[in-house]
Amino acid sequence: MSPFDRIVIVFNPHSTGDAPRLAEDLQAELVRRLPDVPVELRPTQRAGHAREIAREVAATGAPLLVSVSGDGGYNEVVDGAVQAGNDRAVCAVRAAGNANDHRRTTKEHRLADAIVAGDVRRIDLLRLTLGRGDETEVRYAHSYIGVGLTPVVAVDLEEGGKGSWREIVAVVRGFARFRPFPVRLEDGQRRTIDSLVFANISQMAKVATLTEGAAPDDGRFEVVTQQRTGKLRVLATALRAATRGLGPQPSATHYAFTALAPMPLQLDGELVELEADTTVTVDIAPRALATLV
């Protein structure tokens, strides 16, 4: 018997990729293989709609939410499901984006087979808190949170389009316009950073190996820091990540800083613009997400 009382497949009908077709193909296979479980397609209508759908669906029963998307679309589904507060809700992703970091690094079985088997696993999430006191916003990320160069390049990728040559141009443009960001750490120290990434997985951006030994269920996240070193050093670090990896990195369960200037922040594939003097806190949320691999 399936552990799911219903399956809801969330996708963007206007995706430039194959999301609509992949969603329909997955629905057809699951209807055939799980005839007693309702399988519904839920197309999104606007930015943020996947989060609303997930929050609504995950609030009751034992649903499986499948995001047919890249890391950004899956971020919305995971965040909405966790915010609903129902431990019986399960999330999964059918890769249909550009990098697909989460699915690529955690995949053990073909998705439809994993759904039919119903083998649910719990993994950690990164909990992001912006602000302090009553004026706080909480978001969750399944793979990484980054400030500095990572979201700057991500913005250029979104504006420049996807495809190998366009991606190369976007990365070069990102390096050209990148400026280091000033932050104040929790202990009061001021730093100027080129890049700061909190990682729940070992790889990102398709080819970059951030750390060794990281696992999404080890109760910790890795902190990959590059203080202001100059663009050539930043480029050298990026090339090392893409070729032989950055090696072991320090891990933590909590990290906080204050952004001293406006800066972009990236949760998985979702971009957030931080205002100056915003307090940023990253904590591990142990085993917060029920998923399939």
Side-chain angles (χ1 to χ4, degrees), residues 39 54 124 162 186 216 239:
V39 184
D124 306 330
K162 295 169 182 175
E186 198 169 25
L239 291 173

PDB file of all heavy atoms in Angstrom, residues 39 54 124 162 186 216 239:
ATOM      1  N   VAL A  39      -3.762  11.217  -8.680  1.00  0.00           N
ATOM      2  CA  VAL A  39      -2.593  11.963  -9.158  1.00  0.00           C
ATOM      3  C   VAL A  39      -3.092  13.201  -9.889  1.00  0.00           C
ATOM      4  O   VAL A  39      -3.783  13.097 -10.910  1.00  0.00           O
ATOM      5  CB  VAL A  39      -1.712  11.123 -10.100  1.00  0.00           C
ATOM      6  CG1 VAL A  39      -0.462  11.914 -10.492  1.00  0.00           C
ATOM      7  CG2 VAL A  39      -1.319   9.803  -9.441  1.00  0.00           C
ATOM      8  N   ALA A  54       1.960  24.342  -2.458  1.00  0.00           N
ATOM      9  CA  ALA A  54       2.559  23.386  -1.536  1.00  0.00           C
ATOM     10  C   ALA A  54       2.048  23.588  -0.114  1.00  0.00           C
ATOM     11  O   ALA A  54       1.759  22.614   0.601  1.00  0.00           O
ATOM     12  CB  ALA A  54       4.085  23.513  -1.573  1.00  0.00           C
ATOM     13  N   ASP A 124      18.044  17.007   6.158  1.00  0.00           N
ATOM     14  CA  ASP A 124      18.112  18.324   6.780  1.00  0.00           C
ATOM     15  C   ASP A 124      17.734  19.419   5.789  1.00  0.00           C
ATOM     16  O   ASP A 124      17.803  19.220   4.565  1.00  0.00           O
ATOM     17  CB  ASP A 124      19.534  18.599   7.281  1.00  0.00           C
ATOM     18  CG  ASP A 124      20.070  17.521   8.189  1.00  0.00           C
ATOM     19  OD1 ASP A 124      19.259  16.880   8.886  1.00  0.00           O
ATOM     20  OD2 ASP A 124      21.307  17.315   8.192  1.00  0.00           O
ATOM     21  N   LYS A 162      19.954  30.484 -20.880  1.00  0.00           N
ATOM     22  CA  LYS A 162      20.686  29.268 -20.593  1.00  0.00           C
ATOM     23  C   LYS A 162      21.128  28.592 -21.880  1.00  0.00           C
ATOM     24  O   LYS A 162      20.578  28.810 -22.937  1.00  0.00           O
ATOM     25  CB  LYS A 162      19.826  28.343 -19.740  1.00  0.00           C
ATOM     26  CG  LYS A 162      19.553  28.950 -18.356  1.00  0.00           C
ATOM     27  CD  LYS A 162      18.509  28.203 -17.597  1.00  0.00           C
ATOM     28  CE  LYS A 162      18.253  28.907 -16.259  1.00  0.00           C
ATOM     29  NZ  LYS A 162      17.155  28.295 -15.508  1.00  0.00           N
ATOM     30  N   GLU A 186      28.625  37.876  13.728  1.00  0.00           N
ATOM     31  CA  GLU A 186      27.878  37.864  14.992  1.00  0.00           C
ATOM     32  C   GLU A 186      28.735  38.326  16.155  1.00  0.00           C
ATOM     33  O   GLU A 186      28.227  38.902  17.125  1.00  0.00           O
ATOM     34  CB  GLU A 186      27.340  36.454  15.242  1.00  0.00           C
ATOM     35  CG  GLU A 186      26.219  36.373  16.241  1.00  0.00           C
ATOM     36  CD  GLU A 186      25.561  35.012  16.252  1.00  0.00           C
ATOM     37  OE1 GLU A 186      26.214  34.016  15.867  1.00  0.00           O
ATOM     38  OE2 GLU A 186      24.389  34.924  16.652  1.00  0.00           O
ATOM     39  N   PRO A 216      23.292  15.436   3.168  1.00  0.00           N
ATOM     40  CA  PRO A 216      22.106  16.228   3.500  1.00  0.00           C
ATOM     41  C   PRO A 216      21.362  15.753   4.740  1.00  0.00           C
ATOM     42  O   PRO A 216      20.311  16.303   5.061  1.00  0.00           O
ATOM     43  CB  PRO A 216      21.234  16.072   2.242  1.00  0.00           C
ATOM     44  CG  PRO A 216      21.635  14.759   1.660  1.00  0.00           C
ATOM     45  CD  PRO A 216      23.090  14.623   1.957  1.00  0.00           C
ATOM     46  N   LEU A 239      37.629  27.803 -10.627  1.00  0.00           N
ATOM     47  CA  LEU A 239      38.193  26.771 -11.492  1.00  0.00           C
ATOM     48  C   LEU A 239      38.601  25.536 -10.693  1.00  0.00           C
ATOM     49  O   LEU A 239      38.426  24.400 -11.145  1.00  0.00           O
ATOM     50  CB  LEU A 239      39.400  27.332 -12.248  1.00  0.00           C
ATOM     51  CG  LEU A 239      39.086  28.390 -13.309  1.00  0.00           C
ATOM     52  CD1 LEU A 239      40.381  28.988 -13.865  1.00  0.00           C
ATOM     53  CD2 LEU A 239      38.249  27.797 -14.430  1.00  0.00           C
TER      54      LEU A 239
END
